[in-house]
Amino acid sequence: MTRTPQQVFADHGDRLGTGDLDLISRNYTEDAVFVTPEGVLTGRAGVREGIGRLLADLPDAEWRLAPQFAGDVLFLQWTATGDAHEVLDGVDTFVFRDGLISAQTVRCTLTPRTA
């Protein structure tokens, strides 16, 4: 039985919490695309690179998520606050296929954290 987008996203959140990029990337299709303003990363290796950068910029951050599902698409607004940096305008889009994430866009502004 194929997982629903909601199940995949819940599992994705659990995996992100581990920081294990190989484990995280297994929730993506082998031909996944990870699109950012800096460019397009492809495959699970690209996912590991893109998510690795984000987690490195926001280690041990507190995340606040506002997901909106529409069939096989998720629109996600988010904020994250870490010790040194924060994101107040995070927006991702996920596309799901066959119980995995096949595409993700990420747009956010990383700024030094203000007191």
Side-chain angles (χ1 to χ4, degrees), residues 16-95:
L16 281 171
T18 71
D20 182 333
L21 296 173
D22 288 326
L23 181 64
I24 294 165
S25 70
R26 287 196 293 258
N27 254 338
Y28 289 77
T29 62
E30 293 201 23
D31 63 345
V33 292
F34 191 88
V35 184
T36 71
E38 292 76 36
V40 178
L41 301 167
T42 58
R44 289 182 175 158
V47 168
R48 286 190 297 273
E49 180 181 340
I51 291 178
R53 283 188 220 153
L54 187 61
L55 293 179
D57 287 338
L58 294 162
D60 301 317
E62 179 183 330
W63 299 80
R64 289 171 297 288
L65 310 177
Q68 295 180 56
F69 289 91
D72 288 336
V73 177
L74 165 61
F75 177 76
L76 178 67
Q77 292 179 300
W78 57 272
T79 62
T81 305
D83 289 338
H85 294 97
E86 64 186 353
V87 171
L88 301 175
D89 64 350
V91 175
D92 292 15
T93 302
F94 292 78
V95 178

Side-chain angles (χ1 to χ4, degrees), residues 1-13 27 69-74 94-102:
M1 180 174 186
T2 300
R3 299 179 300 169
T4 67
Q6 291 84 350
Q7 290 169 323
V8 175
F9 186 67
D11 188 51
H12 179 62
N27 254 338
F69 289 91
D72 288 336
V73 177
L74 165 61
F94 292 78
V95 178
F96 300 88
R97 182 180 78 221
D98 300 328
L100 295 169
I101 302 163
S102 64

